[in-house]
Amino acid sequence: MKLEGKVALVTGAARGIGKAIAELFSREGAIVGLVDLRPATELASALSKQGKEAIFLPCDITDPVAVQIMVEGVHRRFGRIDILVNNAGIIARGTLLDLTVEVWRKVLDVNLNGVFNCCKAVVPFMIKDGGGKILNISSIAGKTGDLTAAPVYGTSKGGVNAFTKSLARQLAPYKINVNAIAPHAIETEMSAEWSPEKRKEIIESIPLKRLGKPEEVAEAALFLVSEGASFITGEVLDMNGGYFMD
Ligand SMILES: NC(=O)c1ccc[n+]([C@@H]2O[C@H](COP(=O)([O-])OP(=O)(O)OC[C@H]3O[C@@H](n4cnc5c(N)ncnc54)[C@H](O)[C@@H]3O)[C@@H](O)[C@H]2O)c1
């Protein structure tokens, strides 16, 4: 098992990509904290039955005080936090003309400030405990600009990519690796919003001619937080079926 004895926090773990990451990390021997606004109590008890302990941590990542309290509680209970996966995110649709300042702020607050809040709370513990792995779930839109979303989603993810690289440099002396995955078109509730026509068009545009699966993102996440990736930091890994090659 690749994560035996590790303690991992996964944000947005109640469903979609975060859930698949939490399930795989648990199968690989990690104690997993499932951070989400949505209930994940049943998922936590199912994971606890199959392997190591998993706990649901209800928390809004946009609230820095709540995040700090949650992270301190996890560290007090398990003695360390080895892995942080910043996966929670939201999307908005439409053009600049439809985009309100409220939606602009909300998307940046969850997708970018939320990542900052979690890193700010977890990194001091990782430094004290001698290292760690941070993985941010970004998006292709952070590199290409928005393809199907409103022009704030890609902006938030571009910020995540730059933040990933900045932290990778700053935290390398503390043995903390910071990487990101930039997926495109993964089959989750977020992508279920597409009309059948849009979905067909997107599949046609992808060389592998299908959508990605949350479990495939989880496999890449496992690699990037495992010892096998110990010399990789500051990487934003494309995962898009060949649609975009950096
Ligand atoms: N699905 C895709 O095609 C796709 C493509 C590129 C990137 N991504 C990124 O992958 C990540 C996961 O996406 P998904 O498709 O699984 O989405 P999803 O909507 O299925 O799941 C997101 C989870 O995040 C949680 N969340 C939202 N705001 C939160 C907050 N403030 N505090 C705590 N939890 C919060 C939600 O409750 C939900 O459980 C996101 O960051 C998304 O931007 C997804």
Side-chain angles (χ1 to χ4, degrees):
M1 291 204 276
K2 294 195 176 94
L3 302 181
E4 188 67 51
K6 303 288 185 195
V7 179
L9 280 185
V10 182
T11 71
R15 70 181 200 182
I17 293 170
K19 181 177 177 215
I21 292 173
E23 287 172 337
L24 182 58
F25 283 16
S26 172
R27 281 204 300 281
E28 289 292 335
I31 292 170
V32 185
L34 312 164
V35 182
D36 210 301
L37 290 172
R38 274 170 222 279
T41 317
E42 281 177 24
L43 176 61
S45 60
L47 295 186
S48 298
K49 274 183 206 135
Q50 89 177 4
K52 290 280 167 0
E53 191 174 354
I55 50 168
F56 170 43
L57 301 161
C59 181
D60 183 344
I61 61 160
T62 66
D63 179 345
V65 176
V67 169
Q68 186 66 38
I69 292 169
M70 178 271 292
V71 166
E72 283 174 9
V74 171
H75 195 271
R76 208 176 307 118
R77 180 161 170 179
F78 298 112
R80 53 188 303 109
I81 299 171
D82 302 283
I83 298 164
L84 168 65
V85 181
N86 288 303
N87 162 80
I90 57 172
I91 199 161
R93 305 286 177 191
T95 68
L96 177 70
L97 301 182
D98 312 315
L99 190 58
T100 62
V101 71
E102 289 77 20
V103 172
W104 169 267
R105 286 188 179 141
K106 179 71 188 167
V107 173
L108 290 175
D109 208 18
V110 177
N111 293 5
L112 188 54
N113 298 345
V115 175
F116 165 77
N117 291 336
C118 293
C119 290
K120 185 92 177 126
V122 168
V123 163
F125 287 119
M126 286 183 169
I127 291 175
K128 190 164 74 65
D129 298 335
K133 311 276 182 194
I134 297 174
L135 178 66
N136 300 323
I137 306 301
S138 180
S139 167
I140 187 175
K143 293 187 178 186
T144 60
D146 286 295
L147 305 164
T148 64
V152 58
Y153 179 75
T155 305
S156 70
K157 298 297 190 177
V160 167
N161 293 353
F163 189 60
T164 300
K165 292 174 187 184
S166 306
L167 284 198
R169 284 200 188 86
Q170 288 193 357
L171 300 180
Y174 303 103
K175 298 192 171 59
I176 300 173
N177 300 55
V178 189
N179 291 296
I181 298 176
H184 171 51
I186 308 300
E187 192 120 41
T188 67
E189 277 86 345
M190 190 182 269
S191 51
E193 292 167 15
W194 296 326
S195 66
E197 298 74 36
K198 184 83 201 160
R199 188 184 163 88
K200 195 162 169 271
E201 187 190 312
I202 288 172
I203 291 172
E204 273 310 305
S205 68
I206 295 172
L208 286 177
K209 299 288 177 229
R210 64 175 178 85
L211 301 183
K213 300 189 188 89
E215 293 73 23
E216 293 175 305
V217 184
E219 289 291 347
L222 174 64
F223 169 64
L224 285 171
V225 304
S226 70
E227 277 319 293
S230 49
F231 201 51
I232 301 176
T233 197
E235 173 67 17
V236 181
L237 180 72
D238 291 324
M239 195 170 204
N240 54 50
Y243 176 83
F244 172 74
M245 304 183 190
D246 204 356

